[in-house]
Amino acid sequence: MSNKIRKLNLGCGTDIRGECVNLDIVKLPGVDVIWNLDVYPWPFKNNEFDEIYAGSNILGFVGDFRKAIEEIWRISKHNTKIYVESPLYPSINCFSDPHTKKIFTYNSFVYFEPGHKFGYYSNAKFRTIKREIILFRNTNLRFLNFIPNLFPRFYVRFLANIISADSIKFILEVKK
């Protein structure tokens, strides 16, 4: 049995990561697995991955978010780190891509936290390690990204409609 760390890059597009199994629906240079994430089960074994990258709003494109999250949980080992990035509502980018089916908020993963009062909807459990609001991607303005993260709930509740953030990043940890 190999101790090699297995990493998966979901919906990679042109963001090919050499250390990962790169999955996309389109055969692009560097894509290892061509797969539609709305087809279940995904072509991986249970407990196969140590890290999973789900950037570029790929989880916002799936038809059934809960099913996709449960599939990520299935193919992940205990304590696998999941890295998610998506536009943050009410960002102008939330619906700019015509494939978008789900938008993300600061609390998009709380229902999957162990012990959540509505946790009975799914057996998939994740601990949220980090949520980071990205206000600006512009290199001249990135220094301001710390501001909404000082008081994120205040920002989301009272300021997000005035100065909308670009995106949000989550780091989740699989709990089995």
Side-chain angles (χ1 to χ4, degrees):
M1 185 169 157
S2 172
N3 285 339
K4 183 180 177 194
I5 293 177
R6 296 268 297 162
K7 299 177 183 183
L8 176 62
N9 186 12
L10 284 176
C12 62
T14 58
D15 178 28
I16 303 301
R17 298 175 184 229
E19 74 281 5
C20 292
V21 174
N22 293 285
L23 178 146
D24 202 273
I25 196 169
V26 178
K27 178 59 178 158
L28 297 167
V31 171
D32 303 303
V33 178
I34 301 168
W35 194 263
N36 180 339
L37 293 177
D38 285 326
V39 175
Y40 300 95
W42 295 350
F44 304 109
K45 295 182 241 164
N46 294 351
N47 305 306
E48 186 169 345
F49 292 100
D50 301 284
E51 287 183 13
I52 296 179
Y53 300 92
S56 300
N57 195 29
I58 190 62
L59 293 179
F61 299 158
V62 297
D64 187 330
F65 177 71
R66 185 184 53 81
K67 261 183 153 171
I69 292 301
E70 289 173 348
E71 195 65 1
I72 287 172
W73 184 83
R74 179 188 70 79
I75 65 175
S76 298
K77 296 176 184 174
H78 177 65
N79 290 337
T80 288
K81 300 292 186 288
I82 313 297
Y83 301 88
V84 177
E85 185 170 0
S86 183
L88 176 63
Y89 180 81
S91 164
I92 182 175
N93 297 321
C94 282
F95 286 111
S96 62
D97 190 309
H99 297 100
T100 301
K101 295 178 178 100
K102 183 202 179 353
I103 56 173
F104 284 77
T105 70
Y106 191 73
N107 291 323
S108 287
F109 291 99
V110 297
Y111 279 65
F112 300 98
E113 289 274 344
H116 189 276
K117 67 180 180 178
F118 296 120
Y120 52 81
Y121 285 115
S122 176
N123 290 327
K125 300 296 177 223
F126 300 85
R127 182 173 70 90
T128 302
I129 295 174
K130 184 176 183 180
R131 291 182 276 198
E132 180 183 8
I133 297 169
I134 308 299
L135 200 55
F136 300 107
R137 290 193 179 281
N138 179 302
T139 53
N140 296 321
L141 297 174
R142 275 191 214 157
F143 74 95
L144 297 170
N145 284 345
F146 78 94
I147 293 171
N149 293 293
L150 287 174
F151 302 100
R153 293 185 192 288
F154 180 83
Y155 166 78
V156 167
R157 207 144 176 223
F158 300 107
L159 301 176
N161 286 315
I162 298 167
I163 304 170
S164 65
D166 180 79
S167 59
I168 188 163
K169 292 181 179 182
F170 298 90
I171 301 176
L172 309 171
E173 183 177 66
V174 172
K175 294 298 162 194
K176 292 193 173 183

